[in-house]
């Protein structure tokens, strides 16, 4: 059978007709209410047995994703790269890393995803490139003051009173250490991340033109849009003043007029990109912008981003009031702007939330894998809460971003030994943080077989406990994480898609409750005591078998009777 006939027989293309570009049933833009599944390509599925995920592996799993019920896929950087920051060090923005496949594979993947009604978002990394990029290699060959160096931030060092030369200023790399590295002729270049990721100078017209052309390159190949890396970066105070304070990644930069985050000049660049996207039909871009609530609306102006990640819920304490106020702080401004909210519980930069939710409230998930104690982790509690969080977020208006493996309840591999760690965060943290590899371990597809069905010997080791989370142990199994997500996404499409309204319900201490325009309610008991099951027809519960009571850390979706 031809591919599309087989898929049609399996019912995979039927639902997705709703999502096809030309025949959408919904009048809303897909990204306003869509579920976007993040694929960390290196760790998703390996088709050729080399132990690294690849595009053909992703192609083989598209039916799985269509069946799960997602609307779009965001693929982490897949470009040629020395992979010194998992591919966020891009050597060539117009090609595919040989380990991941070829441009032809990417074209085929985009086409097949579209047949299944799935949109594809490409990761755009504009703040910096790789030191293997031709521009940076040329800059190193060229002399100080040359046009080749002008595309980056090359400058002289500072000279102390005693004559010693040091970095031009006190800016720090997000990954630790100075943000400046000195080259052989004495000049220094700026890298807000790893030294292998030189920052581009966005005041340079060639940089601006190059990225407009890169956008067109992927849009012409059928990409539906972009996730934009470090969207709050790009513009720098060109006087390079010392900073009085150092802002950590994954914390909103709340200082006004910061020398390198969230500067007003960057919005002009965003408008240029938006104009390119608007030359095409129906494309979108989502910003990874770690900015304060006051700043965020600027990124969502009608001629800028379509949406921006909100990481606030990911940071919120497990508490009904904290969740309510956090959700409101995301939802209200987005609504006022006519933008869509976004909900994120996990991604490739943070500890997987099943594990995060299992740690004591006063424990830092960034350092706990190093400091322990290991028995502080309550795995069962974490998984129970992750199920609640899924119902809370998937019932909310806006777009939901899921991270691969989240639908399997996959835990963080916090016990990875230091000698296998690959993340620059681990390398540069001087033993204080293990970094982000624990959430990037290859996906277990089957309980048996090499690398749990991922492919060849996994590039990052998988723990034995992954067998229990394998997709083949969960698909079609009542009460599994996978079934919860699949049911939730189906109900979401039926009841939550065309209504943006969110109404809070006061349901007592420790209980978070809201209803949507369809009348469907989400009630989540985040408190310690059981509460009676609210009235209504039960559509879905976070754990099976709930009828009369909603025990601590459970949730329900109900329809009025
Ligand atoms: C944010 C990405 O999500 C992260 O993985 C990366 O290390 C930095 N940006 C630098 O590109």
């Amino acid at each position: 059978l031809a591919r599309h006939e087989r898929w049609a027989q399996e019912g995979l293309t039927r639902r997705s007709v709703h999502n096809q570009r030309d025949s959408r049933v919904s009048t809303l833009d897909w990204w306003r209410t869509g579920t976007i599944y993040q694929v960390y390509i290196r760790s998703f599925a390996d088709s050729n047995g080399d132990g690294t995920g690849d595009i053909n592996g992703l192609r083989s799993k598209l039916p799985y994703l269509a069946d799960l019920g997602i609307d779009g896929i965001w693929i982490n950087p897949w470009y040629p790269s020395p992979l010194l920051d998992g591919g966020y060090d891009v050597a060539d923005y117009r090609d595919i890393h040989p380990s991941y496949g070829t441009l032809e594979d990417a074209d085929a993947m985009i086409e097949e995803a579209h047949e299944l009604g799935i949109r594809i978002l490409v990761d755009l990394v504009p703040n910096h490139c790789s030191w293997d990029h031709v521009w940076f290699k040329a800059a190193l060959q060229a002399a100080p003051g040359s046009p080749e160096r002008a595309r980056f931030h090359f400058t002289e060092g500072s000279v102390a009173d005693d004559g010693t030369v040091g970095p031009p200023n006190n800016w720090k790399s997000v990954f630790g250490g100075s943000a400046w590295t000195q080259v052989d002729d004495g000049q220094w270049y700026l890298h807000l991340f790893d030294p292998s990721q030189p920052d581009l100078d966005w005041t340079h017209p060639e940089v601006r033109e190059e990225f407009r052309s890169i956008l067109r390159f992927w849009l012409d190949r059928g990409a539906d849009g972009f996730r934009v890396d470090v969207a709050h970066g790009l513009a720098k105070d060109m006087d390079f003043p010392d900073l009085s304070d150092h802002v950590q990644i994954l914390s909103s930069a709340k200082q006004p007029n910061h020398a390198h985050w969230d500067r007003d000049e960057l919005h002009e660049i965003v408008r240029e990109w938006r104009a390119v996207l608007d030359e095409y039909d129906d494309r979108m871009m989502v910003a990874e912008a770690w900015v304060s609530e006051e700043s965020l609306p600027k990124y969502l102006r009608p001629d800028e981003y379509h949406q921006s990640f909100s990481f606030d819920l990911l940071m919120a304490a497990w508490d009904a009031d904290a969740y309510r106020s956090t959700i409101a702080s995301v939802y209200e401004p987005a609504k006022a702007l006519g933008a869509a909210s976004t909900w994120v519980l996990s991604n490739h930069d943070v500890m997987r939330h099943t594990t995060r939710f299992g740690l004591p409230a006063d424990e830092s998930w960034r350092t706990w894998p190093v400091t322990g104690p290991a028995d502080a982790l309550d795995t069962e509690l974490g998984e129970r809460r992750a199920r609640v969080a899924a119902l809370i977020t998937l019932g909310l208006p806006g777009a939901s971003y899921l991270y691969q493996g989240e639908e399997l309840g996959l835990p963080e591999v916090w016990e990875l030994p230091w000698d296998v760690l690959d993340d620059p965060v681990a390398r540069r943290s001087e033993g204080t943080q293990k970094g982000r590899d624990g959430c990037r371990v290859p996906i277990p597809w089957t309980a048996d077989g090499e690398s749990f069905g991922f492919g060849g010997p996994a590039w990052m080791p998988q723990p034995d406990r992954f067998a229990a989370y394998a997709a083949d142990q969960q698909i079609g199994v009542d009460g599994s994480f996978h079934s919860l997500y699949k049911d939730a996404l189906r109900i979401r499409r039926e009841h939550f898609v065309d209504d943006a309204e969110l109404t809070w319900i006061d349901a007592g201490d420790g209980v978070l409750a809201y209803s949507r325009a369809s009348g469907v309610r989400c009630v989540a008991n985040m408190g310690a005591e059981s509460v009676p099951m609210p009235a209504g027809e039960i559509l879905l519960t976070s754990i099976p078998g709930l009828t009369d009571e909603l025990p601590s850390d459970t949730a329900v979706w109900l329809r009025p009777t």
Side-chain angles (χ1 to χ4, degrees):
L1 280 186
R3 186 178 65 228
H4 58 273
E5 284 171 23
R6 201 173 62 239
W7 287 350
Q9 266 184 14
E10 289 167 15
L12 294 175
T13 47
R14 209 172 34 238
R15 140 193 117 71
S16 48
V17 168
H18 297 265
N19 296 333
Q20 295 289 345
R21 266 204 198 129
D22 303 326
S23 57
R24 271 175 303 142
V25 168
S26 168
T27 51
L28 290 176
D29 293 313
W30 72 275
W31 44 267
R32 286 186 171 269
T33 55
T35 310
I36 297 161
Y37 185 97
Q38 178 189 349
V39 167
Y40 195 76
I41 188 92
R42 195 178 188 181
S43 301
F44 190 60
D46 165 23
S47 71
N48 62 2
D50 67 356
T52 293
D54 47 46
I55 295 174
N56 288 335
L58 168 57
R59 285 170 72 188
S60 74
K61 299 296 180 194
L62 287 173
Y64 165 87
L65 295 174
D67 176 67
L68 180 62
I70 56 135
D71 303 290
I73 297 174
W74 147 36
I75 303 167
N76 284 106
W78 54 2
Y79 314 101
S81 161
L83 299 179
L84 293 171
D85 179 21
Y88 282 94
D89 45 328
V90 181
D92 180 353
Y93 291 86
R94 293 184 186 80
D95 206 349
I96 298 288
H97 194 293
S99 297
Y100 301 152
T102 62
L103 277 174
E104 289 67 39
D105 296 336
D107 291 344
M109 190 276 296
I110 293 173
E111 190 185 323
E112 288 163 19
H114 285 170
E115 283 174 28
L116 292 167
I118 295 173
R119 303 323 211 275
I120 298 295
L121 304 183
V122 172
D123 209 318
L124 184 76
V125 189
N127 180 68
H128 44 263
C129 59
S130 160
W131 61 16
D132 275 5
H133 191 281
V134 283
W135 277 3
F136 194 72
K137 289 203 274 197
L140 289 183
Q141 304 278 306
S146 60
E148 287 82 0
R149 289 211 172 169
R151 299 173 185 132
F152 299 90
H153 297 291
F154 273 91
T155 184
E156 304 306 321
S158 60
V159 186
D161 292 344
D162 65 0
T164 44
V165 176
N169 66 24
N170 71 355
W171 295 4
K172 289 197 187 125
S173 151
V174 168
F175 295 151
S178 172
W180 298 92
T181 290
Q182 193 172 25
V183 299
D184 288 347
D185 56 40
Q187 278 208 314
W188 301 69
Y189 68 90
L190 176 69
H191 51 87
L192 290 181
F193 294 87
D194 195 63
S196 63
Q197 297 167 294
D199 279 49
L200 289 157
D201 181 348
W202 274 89
T203 65
H204 197 302
E206 273 174 36
V207 173
R208 308 270 279 249
E209 180 48 39
E210 174 67 355
F211 273 81
R212 286 195 298 267
S213 153
I214 291 165
L215 289 177
R216 289 198 180 90
F217 179 86
W218 291 105
L219 294 169
D220 289 342
R221 298 194 99 89
D224 297 279
F226 302 92
R227 174 266 187 191
V228 180
D229 189 58
V230 198
H232 57 309
L234 309 179
K236 277 98 201 179
D237 184 332
M238 299 299 277
D239 292 334
F240 299 104
D242 272 347
L243 280 175
S244 53
D245 197 8
H246 175 55
V247 180
Q248 234 199 347
I249 193 176
L250 310 191
S251 72
S252 302
K254 292 193 199 276
Q255 296 111 312
N257 202 24
H258 189 276
H260 60 67
W261 294 140
D262 191 25
R263 294 182 64 76
D264 284 343
E265 304 93 278
L266 71 84
H267 294 283
E268 193 187 310
I269 303 164
V270 181
R271 283 188 206 108
E272 286 178 6
W273 296 342
R274 178 64 184 253
V276 173
L277 263 72
D278 286 348
E279 292 167 12
Y280 297 75
D281 63 342
D282 203 19
R283 313 295 169 104
M284 65 85 82
M285 52 180 186
V286 52
E288 187 221 18
W290 291 89
V291 298
S292 65
E293 279 165 41
E294 302 83 67
S295 250
L296 192 64
K298 292 190 212 152
Y299 292 73
L300 298 176
R301 287 179 283 207
D303 56 351
E304 297 202 24
Y305 288 98
H306 296 78
Q307 61 190 200
S308 169
F309 292 133
S310 154
F311 299 113
D312 304 80
L313 207 52
L314 185 159
M315 302 292 180
W318 189 258
D319 172 84
D321 290 339
Y323 261 55
R324 179 166 165 168
S325 60
T326 306
I327 292 167
S329 74
V330 173
Y331 168 70
E332 299 295 344
K335 187 179 166 207
L337 287 161
S341 314
T342 59
W343 310 105
V344 180
L345 292 170
S346 275
N347 63 31
H348 65 295
D349 288 332
V350 298
M351 175 179 269
R352 283 188 177 272
H353 62 271
T354 43
T355 306
R356 224 169 54 224
F357 288 145
L359 290 176
D362 55 359
E363 194 62 72
S364 155
W365 50 262
R366 284 206 188 84
T367 50
W368 173 80
V370 179
T371 58
D375 62 7
L377 175 66
D378 183 340
T379 303
E380 209 180 304
L381 179 73
E383 291 181 5
R384 196 175 163 94
R385 290 184 169 176
R387 288 164 170 271
V388 175
L391 291 202
I392 294 175
T393 51
L394 291 172
L396 287 170
S400 265
Y401 283 82
L402 309 181
Y403 179 49
Q404 66 179 36
E406 157 174 356
E407 81 283 14
L408 305 174
L410 212 60
E412 178 83 2
V413 189
W414 50 269
E415 68 272 38
L416 286 170
W418 283 96
D419 60 349
V420 305
L421 296 182
D422 181 67
D423 184 2
V425 171
R427 249 195 338 265
R428 292 173 70 97
S429 82
E430 296 171 350
T432 61
Q433 287 186 39
K434 282 190 163 182
R436 303 164 294 178
D437 291 313
C439 66
R440 301 173 176 181
V441 175
I443 296 292
W445 293 99
T446 55
D448 299 316
E450 176 154 29
S451 61
F452 303 112
F454 166 69
W459 71 276
M460 185 57 64
Q462 301 155 299
D464 292 344
R465 64 197 160 98
F466 261 30
Y469 296 90
D472 75 341
Q473 301 299 296
Q474 300 202 34
I475 295 171
V477 174
D478 272 356
S480 72
F481 253 99
H482 184 273
S483 296
L484 179 74
Y485 269 78
K486 184 173 168 179
D487 288 345
L489 294 181
R490 177 178 45 76
I491 297 169
R492 175 184 164 94
R493 282 194 302 279
E494 281 168 25
H495 295 286
F496 298 147
V497 163
D498 279 311
D499 50 354
E501 284 304 308
L502 171 72
T503 309
W504 293 108
I505 301 169
D506 284 319
D509 278 356
V511 181
L512 179 88
Y514 62 81
S515 69
R516 299 288 304 275
S518 59
V520 173
R521 276 170 301 151
C522 172
V523 183
N525 181 4
M526 302 171 81
E529 307 297 329
S530 286
V531 297
M533 179 64 79
E537 179 198 341
I538 294 177
L539 293 175
L540 188 61
T541 52
S542 61
I543 54 173
L546 301 182
T547 47
D548 303 331
E549 284 202 323
L550 213 46
S552 170
D553 292 326
T554 60
V556 62
W557 282 355
L558 298 149
R559 173 161 57 184
T561 40

